[in-house]
Amino acid sequence: MRSLYWSFFACFTVLCMAHAVSAAEPNFDFDGPISRTVLENYLERSVTMTCLLVTGQVEGSRDYDYPDDDLRLIRNIRPKLIGRAIYRWNGESRLNEPTFWSSAKEIIERVHASDDQVIFQGCLFETISLEVNQVKIPPWVFAEFQLPVEDRNFSYDAMLNEQGKFVRHWGRSSVPDISRLESQMWFYYLAGAYIDLGCEALHLGQVSLIGMNDPDFTHWSHLISRIRAHAAKQGRRHWVLLDAHVPKGGMIVDGKSLLDFNSFPLRIKEIVDKPYEGELEVGYLDAIFGRSRGCISPSGWKCESLPYLVELDNYGRSRNANVADTKSIFVWGWDEISWFAQQDETYRNAWLVYAHRWIRQHDPNGHLQLPVNRMITCPNETGGNYRANTRSAACPVGYSQEETIKQLFSDDKAALESP
C-alpha cells in the first residue's frame, strides 16, 4: 500500500469519527455584494462538474453521460458552488440550439428544487473557433455598446489580435484579444446569456492570454463593469462571482480586485523516488499558495490576501508520460486530473484528504475545488472523463471519491485540522 495513504489514514479516520459533532450549517445567504465569510463558505463547498448543464455532446465527440446519477450525487454530497457547469470550448454553434439553453434551465431547476442556494458557474474561455461566425449578435449586446442594431453574426476575424499573436494558438482555433471590440461583445454576450440562464458565477479563463494587449486591465475593467451591471439587474441575487486563472496573483486596478476570488491549478510536484506519487509545495513553479495578492474586493471588504480556489486542472499530456520532471507543469507526464485518475482508489481518496488539509495548514486563504467530473487525456475506459461518482450500475465508470468528498464537506474546521 502506498506510503501517502498510510500517512493520512489516521487523519481520515478522525474525519469520519468527527462527523457526529459537525458544526451547524454555514451561512450561504447574500443578495448583492457578498461578505468574505459567505464567499468562503461557498468556496469550501465547491466542486468541478464539467458541463453538468450541457446535454448531448459537450466537447468534441464526448457525451455527457449519467446525468441522473450526477443529480443523485449532488443531493448526497451537497455542494454549494458547481464549477465549469456550462461553457463552449469551441463548438460555438451549439449556442444557436434552443435546447442547449432549455435543457440547462431544466437541470438548474431540478437542483434548486432541493437546494436553491447552489451556485452554477459558466465559463468564458480563452478560445474561439470559426463557429462563432454562426452565432447571431442579439440586439441587447448592440444596445449595451451603444451601437446600431444590425442583423449580423459575430466575426471570428474581428476578435483576433491584429499582430497575429495567439492566432491559431490552439491549432484550428485562436485566443480572442480583449482589446478588440468584437471580443468584448462576444464575452459580454456569453456572460449575459449565462447570467440570464441562472448562473451566479463566471470563470474568465486565462485572462493573461485574452489580455495579451491589455497589460493594465483597462479593457478587462470596462467589460467586467458591464457584466456586473447586467448581473445587478438580471442576476438571481443581483451579483455575479467572478474568478480567473491569475498567474501573477490577481487582477488588481488601483488597489481593487476585478475578481471576487482568484483561482489556479494545484501545481502538483512529483515525489521522484515514489512513483507515481505527488505532493504540494509552497513556491513550487508558479503555484498560487501564499501569492494571492491583497486588495479591496468587489464587494468592498479589504483583505491581505484575496481568497482563492485551486483545482486539479486538465491541459493534456507531455511527450514523456510516466517520467518525473519537477521543472514541468505536468505530473509524471500528465495533466493534474489525468495523473489523479490513474491512481488507485485508495490513494485518490487519501490524496484529497491530504490536499484539503495541507492547503488549510499552509495558506488558509486557499480552498480546494474538489473534482467530480473532468475530462482526462490518459488511457481509460471511462469515456475520456474522470467522475467522482461511487461506481454502481447507475454509473459504472465512477472513480468512487464521492463519499470522501461528502465527508470533507460535512466536517467542521476543527476536525479537519486535527493531526
Side-chain angles (χ1 to χ4, degrees):
M1 192 66 67
R2 296 185 175 195
S3 58
L4 182 62
Y5 167 64
W6 288 116
S7 298
F8 292 95
F9 178 79
C11 173
F12 189 67
T13 301
V14 170
L15 294 178
C16 294
M17 294 176 64
H19 179 67
V21 292
S22 294
E25 181 78 349
N27 179 18
F28 297 99
D29 294 330
F30 71 95
D31 191 347
I34 189 170
S35 71
R36 176 166 186 162
T37 297
V38 172
L39 171 64
E40 294 202 281
N41 287 341
Y42 271 100
L43 300 185
E44 270 297 289
R45 294 269 284 273
S46 65
V47 296
T48 303
M49 294 191 74
T50 300
C51 290
L52 171 71
L53 302 181
V54 181
T55 55
Q57 290 190 339
V58 296
E59 188 175 323
S61 60
R62 289 180 170 93
D63 288 330
Y64 192 91
D65 298 319
Y66 314 107
D68 290 338
D69 198 63
D70 288 332
L71 294 176
R72 178 205 57 78
L73 174 145
I74 290 171
R75 293 191 296 271
N76 182 37
I77 68 174
R78 300 179 64 218
K80 291 294 185 176
L81 172 58
I82 298 179
R84 299 177 183 255
I86 187 168
Y87 65 84
R88 292 282 76 207
W89 183 274
N90 306 323
E92 296 90 350
S93 63
R94 285 213 63 197
L95 298 169
N96 294 327
E97 301 173 12
T99 55
F100 178 85
W101 301 102
S102 62
S103 296
K105 186 68 173 179
E106 180 182 351
I107 295 169
I108 289 174
E109 291 173 351
R110 290 179 67 182
V111 173
H112 281 163
S114 298
D115 184 350
D116 66 0
Q117 292 179 318
V118 171
I119 288 177
F120 294 90
Q121 181 190 68
C123 300
L124 285 56
F125 277 133
E126 60 277 5
T127 183
I128 49 169
S129 76
L130 285 168
E131 287 193 26
V132 299
N133 292 332
Q134 302 177 39
V135 181
K136 187 175 291 293
I137 305 176
W140 54 269
V141 172
F142 287 113
E144 174 62 30
F145 288 85
Q146 298 182 333
L147 296 172
V149 175
E150 301 179 53
D151 183 15
R152 75 170 180 90
N153 295 350
F154 285 101
S155 169
Y156 173 84
D157 289 338
M159 297 186 205
L160 303 180
N161 178 267
E162 292 181 286
Q163 285 72 49
K165 192 172 185 179
F166 299 137
V167 173
R168 299 182 68 87
H169 182 70
W170 310 110
R172 285 184 276 182
S173 59
S174 303
V175 178
D177 181 347
I178 197 63
S179 70
R180 303 295 305 273
L181 176 61
E182 194 82 355
S183 296
Q184 296 167 35
M185 294 172 67
W186 169 249
F187 284 126
Y188 181 75
Y189 158 68
L190 289 177
Y194 291 147
I195 290 168
D196 294 351
L197 177 68
C199 292
E200 297 178 271
L202 297 173
H203 175 70
L204 304 183
Q206 295 191 54
V207 290
S208 293
L209 285 183
I210 303 168
M212 64 189 85
N213 202 26
D214 189 30
D216 299 323
F217 303 128
T218 300
H219 297 289
W220 269 122
S221 295
H222 293 324
L223 174 62
I224 286 173
S225 292
R226 294 180 188 277
I227 292 172
R228 290 197 182 280
H230 187 95
K233 295 179 180 179
Q234 300 292 118
R236 282 186 80 234
R237 286 180 281 185
H238 310 100
W239 195 256
V240 61
L241 298 177
L242 302 181
D243 80 295
H245 278 186
V246 286
K248 296 183 179 179
M251 291 180 73
I252 299 174
V253 177
D254 296 330
K256 184 173 181 179
S257 174
L258 300 180
L259 305 175
D260 295 87
F261 61 96
N262 294 323
S263 58
F264 212 62
L266 275 163
R267 293 296 189 246
I268 301 164
K269 181 180 180 180
E270 296 108 329
I271 304 176
V272 176
D273 59 350
K274 296 179 180 179
Y276 293 95
E277 296 187 22
E279 63 184 352
L280 302 177
E281 181 181 292
V282 174
Y284 178 61
L285 300 179
D286 57 349
I288 196 172
F289 308 116
R291 296 195 309 111
S292 184
R293 294 164 58 194
C295 58
I296 299 173
S297 79
S299 292
W301 40 266
K302 296 180 180 179
C303 60
E304 294 183 3
S305 180
L306 189 68
Y308 64 88
L309 282 179
V310 280
E311 59 179 338
L312 287 147
D313 202 3
N314 66 325
Y315 41 85
R317 54 172 292 179
S318 76
R319 295 179 179 178
N320 299 309
N322 304 318
V323 175
D325 181 356
T326 56
K327 295 182 179 180
S328 168
I329 63 172
F330 293 98
V331 190
W332 293 100
W334 305 96
D335 63 32
E336 294 170 347
I337 192 63
S338 297
W339 164 80
F340 183 74
Q342 293 181 83
Q343 311 309 310
D344 64 50
E345 180 182 329
T346 300
Y347 185 84
R348 289 195 301 269
N349 285 320
W351 201 88
L352 290 183
V353 175
Y354 152 75
H356 192 277
R357 184 167 178 260
W358 185 96
I359 293 164
R360 282 192 162 178
Q361 289 180 333
H362 290 83
D363 188 355
N365 300 292
H367 305 266
L368 178 62
Q369 188 166 37
L370 288 155
V372 172
N373 182 19
R374 290 210 78 158
M375 296 178 186
I376 54 179
T377 56
C378 56
N380 63 87
E381 298 178 352
T382 58
N385 292 289
Y386 161 84
R387 312 183 75 88
N389 307 51
T390 299
R391 182 166 294 194
S392 67
C395 185
V397 296
Y399 284 73
S400 298
Q401 275 63 72
E402 178 178 339
E403 291 305 314
T404 297
I405 293 171
K406 181 180 181 179
Q407 191 67 45
L408 290 170
F409 282 169
S410 63
D411 283 319
D412 64 358
K413 186 173 181 179
L416 287 166
E417 293 182 346
S418 298

